[in-house]
Amino acid sequence: MHIAFFDSGVGGLTVLHEAIQRMPGERFIYFGDSHHAPYGTKTREEITELVFRACAFLAEKKLKALVVACNTATSVAVKALRDTYDFPIIGMEPAIKPAVESSDDKRVLVCATDLTLKEEKLDRLVQDLNAGDKVDYLSLQGLVLLAERFQLDAPETEAYLRHQLSGIPWSRYHAIVLGCTHFIYFREQIRRLIAPHVRILDGNRGTVNNLMTRVHPESSPEKKEIQYFISGQQADAGHFDKYLDYLTAMQAL
Ligand code: DGL
């Protein structure tokens, strides 16, 4: 049995990377819908159709669980997926709760895709935390295609981030939340452009924690096995492995 990870493209590899380390012995399937990325600029209807198409493909494999490693797809479709399939389905949640709880007076900046920022699910999360007056929002949608093109350290990326992040009065903030799995690749570049006291939080660890409570671990760790698919076609492992290697190098910094 496999654990499947799904994303609009390469973003979900940041969650898979965490799972590989903490769940040795599991067999993974990764489905990146890169031919249809980005999702964040599409309509709810378009995203729902793409997500259900991908999940129908994945459900034909024997799945122990499915991780929707995409905040955008989670916002739009996780509830409907859970109503449709009987294997455990784990979604993403922006790490707003730990961000809000770690300071009484300073603000939190939530960065996500255009669509995630428009969705009711995010509003509800902030309202449930009673944090409406402490949270601001910023779309960093442009990072999604930069990640898809592996322009992780490119001058265009630096220029984009500089444009988006300069002018923000960082002394008023204590945390920035990366609410899109593609943004994790840019954590170091973001670090360099914001004030040193600002914490950078994401939901990846929490998602893998949830996954680990939902599946029985494999008892005999064996060699890492990952099957990769791009939009339903078997994909060359090298394309995805280079992102996992980049994440390993980031971790060593
Ligand atoms: N990784 C997706 C997320 O977490 C990116 C969405 C997109 O394709 O725009 O939201």
Side-chain angles (χ1 to χ4, degrees):
M1 301 266 276
H2 291 83
I3 300 175
F5 280 70
F6 166 72
D7 179 49
S8 63
V10 296
L13 290 166
T14 66
V15 192
L16 175 64
H17 187 256
E18 170 109 17
I20 291 168
Q21 292 172 337
R22 295 175 58 198
M23 305 174 83
E26 296 293 341
R27 291 188 292 169
F28 297 106
I29 294 175
Y30 187 84
F31 186 120
D33 200 7
S34 293
H35 292 162
H36 302 110
Y39 277 8
T41 52
K42 294 186 165 50
T43 63
R44 295 193 103 238
E45 292 68 28
E46 287 167 328
I47 296 167
T48 304
E49 196 190 322
L50 290 167
V51 172
F52 268 88
R53 203 192 294 168
C55 289
F57 173 86
L58 288 168
E60 285 173 12
K61 325 268 167 203
K62 277 195 173 310
L63 295 190
K64 261 177 147 174
L66 169 69
V67 179
V68 182
C70 176
N71 292 81
T72 309
T74 299
S75 305
V76 172
V78 81
K79 192 172 173 304
L81 288 175
R82 288 188 182 126
D83 292 343
T84 308
Y85 294 106
D86 55 8
F87 43 78
I89 298 181
I90 291 96
M92 299 298 302
E93 187 171 282
I96 300 178
K97 188 167 191 281
V100 166
E101 287 173 353
S102 62
S103 170
D104 286 340
D105 53 343
K106 293 208 171 179
R107 308 185 65 75
V108 171
L109 184 64
V110 176
C111 302
T113 64
D114 293 350
L115 191 104
T116 300
L117 294 181
K118 280 193 273 197
E119 279 298 295
E120 200 191 309
K121 195 168 190 303
L122 185 64
D123 274 352
R124 233 181 304 123
L125 174 64
V126 173
Q127 270 168 31
D128 289 350
L129 292 166
N130 217 351
D133 58 346
K134 290 174 86 176
V135 176
D136 297 314
Y137 304 94
L138 176 68
S139 170
L140 292 178
Q141 182 67 55
L143 290 181
V144 175
L145 283 182
L146 288 163
E148 290 297 315
R149 297 182 188 129
F150 202 64
Q151 289 182 307
L152 306 180
D153 287 314
E156 308 71 318
T157 303
E158 152 100 30
Y160 174 78
L161 280 171
R162 197 172 279 285
H163 178 71
Q164 296 293 326
L165 300 176
S166 65
I168 294 179
W170 292 111
S171 58
R172 287 193 215 150
Y173 291 88
H174 78 282
I176 175 167
V177 173
L178 304 183
C180 166
T181 52
H182 280 75
F183 298 175
I184 309 301
Y185 295 108
F186 305 97
R187 191 195 279 118
E188 294 310 311
Q189 290 88 323
I190 292 171
R191 173 87 277 157
R192 290 198 289 272
L193 293 168
I194 65 177
H197 72 272
V198 179
R199 297 175 64 200
I200 304 178
L201 302 174
D202 66 67
N204 284 13
R205 196 171 173 80
T207 298
V208 176
N209 290 346
N210 284 345
L211 172 64
M212 289 172 79
T213 63
R214 302 295 299 279
V215 296
H216 294 294
E218 288 299 323
S219 52
S220 60
E222 50 191 68
K223 210 170 133 315
K224 164 178 106 176
E225 186 201 300
I226 311 170
Q227 290 175 40
Y228 291 113
F229 296 92
I230 293 183
S231 305
Q233 306 291 315
Q234 190 106 32
D236 165 31
H239 172 69
F240 289 120
D241 281 344
K242 69 175 190 275
Y243 286 90
L244 294 178
D245 291 344
Y246 186 90
L247 292 165
T248 303
M250 255 174 81
Q251 216 170 32
L253 286 178

